[in-house]
Amino acid sequence: MAGRGPGGRAERRSSGELESEVLATLWATEEALTPAEIQAGIGGGLAYNTVHTILKRLYDKGLVLRDVDGRRGAYRPAKNAAELTAEAMHEALDRGPDPIATLQQFVSGLSPEEEQALRDLLGGRPHREGGGA
């Protein structure tokens, strides 16, 4: 939600933050949602037109799909959260001059549970949620 800034004015959320909130709302359900349903899910006094604009941007980026039912459109995510995050990680590796050094830095910051999950995955063993090996 947008907070209050100096002078009591409402602080504006960035478009990236709004896109993330819309995607989170869509990921929280198995059903396609209308802009009005997304607006209600986000809350915080966000205008319907703002939600519709964010959905159009996400659609143009290929991040949401639009289901047309008569004149009413509903949206659903094109990828789940894990797929989108993995894609962003691959893009980050591709941008840097030394992807191996980047991976080394990334791995050094993993929690013990994340490190074990990575070891399991690299070893060909399926990772068990909340457990480890």
Side-chain angles (χ1 to χ4, degrees), residues 56-123:
K56 181 175 181 344
R57 287 182 188 157
L58 291 170
Y59 179 82
D60 290 345
K61 292 178 182 181
L63 297 176
V64 297
L65 303 173
R66 185 167 188 254
D67 297 337
V68 179
D69 178 21
R71 292 179 48 109
R72 179 180 142 163
Y75 295 82
R76 56 190 168 87
K79 301 173 184 175
N80 67 37
E83 290 169 324
L84 188 59
T85 302
E87 187 176 288
M89 292 168 70
H90 282 287
E91 289 172 3
L93 284 174
D94 290 344
R95 279 194 308 269
D98 188 349
I100 302 303
T102 302
L103 281 171
Q104 288 172 332
Q105 286 294 314
F106 177 77
V107 170
S108 70
L110 294 176
S111 71
E113 295 81 17
E114 292 166 335
E115 184 178 337
Q116 185 58 53
L118 183 57
R119 287 182 190 283
D120 290 348
L121 292 168
L122 292 173

Side-chain angles (χ1 to χ4, degrees), residues 1-2 13-28 33-48 50-52 54-55 58:
M1 270 200 269
R13 292 177 272 199
S14 70
S15 62
E17 185 180 352
L18 289 171
E19 288 178 3
S20 295
E21 289 181 39
V22 168
L23 285 170
T25 301
L26 290 170
W27 287 326
L33 299 176
T34 66
E37 291 168 330
I38 294 167
Q39 178 189 25
I42 292 173
L46 199 57
Y48 176 88
T50 301
V51 173
H52 196 268
I54 295 300
L55 285 165
L58 291 170

